[in-house]
Amino acid sequence: MIDRISAGDLPDKPHIGLYGPNQALRHEHCLTRAGFDGPFTIAYRVNAPHVHREWGRSDHGWPAPVPADDATTALLLRRHLDSTGLPAAGGAPIDARVPLLFSRDVVLSVARPDRDDPVYLENGDGDDLYYIHAGGGLLRTLLGDVRFGPEDYVFVPRGLTHRFILDADVAQHWFVIEALSDLHVPKQFRNDIGQLRMDAPFTHRDFRRPSFFGPLDEGVRSIVAKRDHRYTRYELDHTPLDVVGWDGTVWPWAFPIRAFQPKTSTVHLPPTIHGTFAIGGGLVCSFVPRLVDYHEGAIPCPYPHASVHCDEVIFYAHGNFTSRKGVGPGSISYHPMGTSHGPHPGAYAGSIGHTRTDELAVMLDVFTPLTPTAAARAIEDPGYHASFRPDARAAR
Ligand SMILES: [Fe+2]
């Protein structure tokens, strides 16, 4: 959904015959969104994509998010989740996600996988955006390979056949945003013909596109399809990576967060300037190292605000975060709507005179309330809400 790509063998028009050796008719596979109204890609395959030899319930998959069952879950408390406390040996990526916060629009998880996916996944529940806090590897998809590494966003469109192949001997730590409606570039970043505007905070060149390889048989015959947090296994007689060509705007990509071009003003601008990707019911923002506000009287630290319409989640990746104390790499803060929030005591005044920040973080503002899971409560810093008292010391 960035722009159009075409690769491999294609007929002159959609929906006319494409033939391979021995006049073998290729099978069209239309990857459409919003019914038939949205972006689409048309792939051409050696085999019909909808024919399965066997099927049944799959044992793969991550748990469906459910609310933590304890007395404080419903309270409007600021929370700090330390995702480094989650097990580092999480299994394959398809099994490794640990949902921490969820709403009807989004599921936020952390995954720390330690082995390759043994099957292909098709996530029918939503678009997946991974922020690679640590690790790297290869995203192998129907439409080609996308290499990724630390500080990359990795995007897998809903329903795309894919699996992850991990770099050896590297610890993996991923923050995962499962957007249950969709993810796209904010409309205001595009001009009338859909090109990214010259004043958008990134360019077409910043996206790492899939390297298309043509048909590939890895020996994997299983696809696991996820819908409504349930998993169905399909067995095939052939490799599903049998695409000979494709054309369209739905494709996987990687985007290095440091390619985001931050804006700075004389005085502090709202977090919308960090907006990077839009999701249904929310905005994904990138905080990257930058010069800060340069009015002679500027307060560079974010101002306290009544966040009545959005929950705020920040995944802290690197650097010294201006407004918060007691958080470190791998921390996730969650500040719920309905109660005012802002910087830690001392941070507001202490920021005066600062000329730059080296913070690196992913933030989400979401417009439906999130709920913590039991896994979130298990890694929660119990002193975080109290750390906003004027006399409090930060937890670390
Ligand atoms: Fe906020």
Side-chain angles (χ1 to χ4, degrees), residues 279-302:
I279 62 173
L283 185 67
V284 180
C285 300
S286 302
F287 289 92
V288 298
R290 62 193 181 279
L291 301 176
V292 294
D293 323 310
Y294 46 87
H295 186 284
E296 62 183 13
I299 302 172
C301 192

Side-chain angles (χ1 to χ4, degrees), residues 121-126 158-160 178 180 225-228:
L121 170 66
E122 295 176 350
N123 186 356
D125 278 332
R158 175 196 295 259
L160 183 68
E178 186 182 19
L180 300 177
K226 173 176 183 276
R227 186 70 176 114
D228 198 21

Side-chain angles (χ1 to χ4, degrees), residues 299-310:
I299 302 172
C301 192
Y303 31 78
H305 58 107
S307 184
V308 294
H309 276 141
C310 59

Side-chain angles (χ1 to χ4, degrees), residues 50-59 221-225 231-237:
H50 58 299
V51 177
H52 311 123
R53 174 172 53 78
E54 186 192 329
W55 50 89
R57 194 180 67 81
S58 175
D59 293 329
R221 297 288 184 269
S222 301
I223 293 175
V224 173
Y231 297 83
T232 302
R233 174 181 56 85
Y234 299 110
E235 300 296 334
L236 311 181
D237 283 327

Side-chain angles (χ1 to χ4, degrees), residues 59-299:
D59 293 329
H60 284 292
W62 59 92
V66 293
D69 183 20
D70 69 70
T72 78
T73 299
L75 297 181
L76 290 180
L77 300 179
R78 300 174 202 118
R79 301 177 190 272
H80 166 210
L81 315 177
D82 181 4
S83 73
T84 65
L86 294 171
I94 190 174
D95 301 316
R97 269 189 233 188
V98 179
L100 299 173
L101 297 162
F102 69 99
S103 71
R104 68 170 187 240
D105 291 323
V106 70
V107 182
L108 305 178
S109 304
V110 164
R112 304 185 71 187
D114 65 349
R115 69 199 68 171
D116 301 343
D117 277 322
V119 297
Y120 299 106
L121 170 66
E122 295 176 350
N123 186 356
D125 278 332
D127 290 335
D128 282 322
L129 184 71
Y130 299 82
Y131 176 72
I132 309 301
H133 177 50
L138 197 67
L139 169 66
R140 174 149 288 164
T141 82
L142 193 70
L143 306 177
D145 287 350
V146 179
R147 177 152 287 287
F148 64 93
E151 302 183 354
D152 280 342
Y153 288 108
V154 179
F155 173 70
V156 182
R158 175 196 295 259
L160 183 68
T161 313
H162 71 281
R163 74 184 189 105
F164 284 98
I165 301 167
L166 306 182
D167 287 345
D169 303 322
V170 179
Q172 308 280 340
H173 192 145
W174 307 348
F175 178 55
V176 193
I177 300 165
E178 186 182 19
L180 300 177
S181 51
D182 64 350
L183 181 145
H184 56 270
V185 170
K187 286 188 172 64
Q188 64 269 28
F189 294 176
R190 296 193 187 268
N191 62 26
D192 288 347
I193 64 163
Q195 186 179 26
L196 291 172
R197 291 170 54 96
M198 293 185 77
D199 58 0
F202 44 74
T203 78
H204 290 269
R205 300 179 202 172
D206 293 323
F207 291 85
R208 201 173 310 129
R209 293 145 192 271
S211 301
F212 180 63
F213 40 70
L216 177 70
D217 189 348
E218 303 186 284
V220 179
R221 297 288 184 269
S222 301
I223 293 175
V224 173
K226 173 176 183 276
R227 186 70 176 114
D228 198 21
H229 306 296
R230 287 183 282 245
Y231 297 83
T232 302
R233 174 181 56 85
Y234 299 110
E235 300 296 334
L236 311 181
D237 283 327
H238 53 80
T239 173
L241 303 184
D242 62 353
V243 172
V244 299
W246 62 272
D247 172 46
T249 57
V250 178
W251 39 269
W253 43 255
F255 174 89
I257 191 172
R258 288 180 191 266
F260 184 82
Q261 302 156 194
K263 288 186 173 67
T264 300
S265 172
T266 50
V267 296
H268 198 79
L269 295 172
T272 43
I273 61 157
H274 305 283
T276 310
F277 305 117
I279 62 173
L283 185 67
V284 180
C285 300
S286 302
F287 289 92
V288 298
R290 62 193 181 279
L291 301 176
V292 294
D293 323 310
Y294 46 87
H295 186 284
E296 62 183 13
I299 302 172

